[in-house]
Amino acid sequence: MEASMLDKKQPKYPPMALIKTWVWMMVESNVPEINEKGRNNLIKSFGSLSNANDYISKVLNK
């Protein structure tokens, strides 16, 4: 039972494919509403763009 309690303390992040889509939306799209939606999704999932960047860098550099 303790192991499951420990698992709950670790943040659950979306799949990398979804994260990459949000980054694309924010960086590559020429539609302001899509840029904002990608940015908002990243902030909602990670708390800040900096945290999202740290996570992405950590995963991609494994």
Side-chain angles (χ1 to χ4, degrees):
M1 190 104 165
E2 286 184 35
S4 65
M5 290 171 60
L6 291 175
D7 290 342
K8 290 181 182 178
K9 291 181 182 178
Q10 294 178 351
K12 299 286 185 184
Y13 295 124
M16 186 53 73
L18 185 55
I19 295 167
K20 288 179 179 180
T21 300
W22 292 340
V23 169
W24 176 89
M25 289 168 65
M26 189 180 79
V27 175
E28 298 292 330
S29 175
N30 294 321
V31 180
E33 292 83 3
I34 293 176
N35 295 136
E36 186 175 341
K37 183 68 174 174
R39 176 185 171 93
N40 289 341
N41 287 341
L42 287 166
I43 292 170
K44 183 178 175 183
S45 294
F46 292 94
S48 71
L49 291 178
S50 178
N51 289 344
N53 186 52
D54 291 346
Y55 176 78
I56 294 165
S57 295
K58 184 174 81 171
V59 169
L60 294 179
N61 290 323
K62 278 188 176 180

